[in-house]
Amino acid sequence: MIMDQLSNASLYDGVHPRLKKGFAFLLENDLHTLPVGKYEIENDKVFVMIQEYNTKLIEDCRLEAHYQYTDIQYVIKGAERMVYTNKEATEIEEEQKENDVMFLKGEGNHLIVNEGCFAVFMPQDAHMPGVCVEQPQAVRKAVVKVLCD
């Protein structure tokens, strides 16, 4: 798991070439005006989803992990709490392999991801995005899905 400001994204260029492409998209586009939706960067290997939603109470969120994809979760506007732990410390509740997601039961560390910051969650990283910091609030976020094979 990595958490940082988008202005420091170049520090992580060497992690995987497709992560670099994902960060480049975030840096080169006006994410405040880009319409909500899915944008392909490298076919199904790197794509981004621009989302707008209200954060939720923690009891209304689920811990998840992915089989193949790494997430770059970048908060464009607002702030949200994300919970993180290694998936080895969790128990599988539900698997949806066709959607590259499993839902897990467990505890984790709480991170506050503010506007202008991102968190990277790799397949071994269980994470719970979309949790409110104190009270539910509107958030605009980019989620870059990166196949790191």
Side-chain angles (χ1 to χ4, degrees):
M1 194 280 299
I2 300 167
M3 185 174 150
D4 205 341
Q5 296 177 11
L6 187 59
S7 58
N8 293 327
S10 64
L11 296 173
Y12 309 102
D13 285 352
V15 175
H16 193 281
R18 290 191 189 119
L19 275 179
K20 184 176 179 178
K21 289 181 181 183
F23 283 127
F25 182 93
L26 296 176
L27 289 162
E28 295 168 3
N29 288 278
D30 183 355
L31 303 175
H32 291 279
T33 61
L34 202 60
V36 169
K38 180 179 175 181
Y39 299 85
E40 288 187 1
I41 301 169
E42 185 184 325
N43 303 314
D44 63 345
K45 294 179 180 173
V46 186
F47 59 92
V48 63
M49 296 174 292
I50 303 296
Q51 305 171 339
E52 290 182 350
Y53 57 87
N54 288 323
T55 56
K56 300 177 185 176
L57 299 174
I58 195 164
E59 57 267 21
D60 296 327
C61 297
R62 297 174 80 180
L63 197 60
E64 64 183 52
H66 305 291
Y67 294 95
Q68 296 182 312
Y69 283 87
T70 293
D71 283 0
I72 303 171
Q73 299 206 11
Y74 172 65
V75 178
I76 302 165
K77 184 178 178 187
E80 71 178 55
R81 181 183 309 272
M82 296 183 194
V83 178
Y84 156 79
T85 190
N86 188 287
K87 77 177 179 185
E88 297 299 321
T90 66
E91 179 183 327
I92 296 174
E93 286 189 322
E94 180 185 347
E95 294 185 275
Q96 294 181 14
K97 290 183 181 180
E98 68 280 1
N99 296 323
D100 190 56
V101 67
M102 65 181 79
F103 295 100
L104 309 159
K105 182 178 180 179
E107 300 293 324
N109 297 309
H110 292 228
L111 314 166
I112 305 300
V113 184
N114 291 305
E115 189 171 307
C117 295
F118 66 86
V120 176
F121 299 106
M122 297 181 184
Q124 73 271 12
D125 300 327
H127 55 285
M128 181 188 297
V131 181
C132 64
V133 175
E134 291 181 18
Q135 295 295 320
Q137 68 169 297
V139 167
R140 182 174 175 87
K141 187 165 81 173
V143 178
V144 183
K145 304 295 280 184
V146 181
L147 184 63
C148 290
D149 51 355

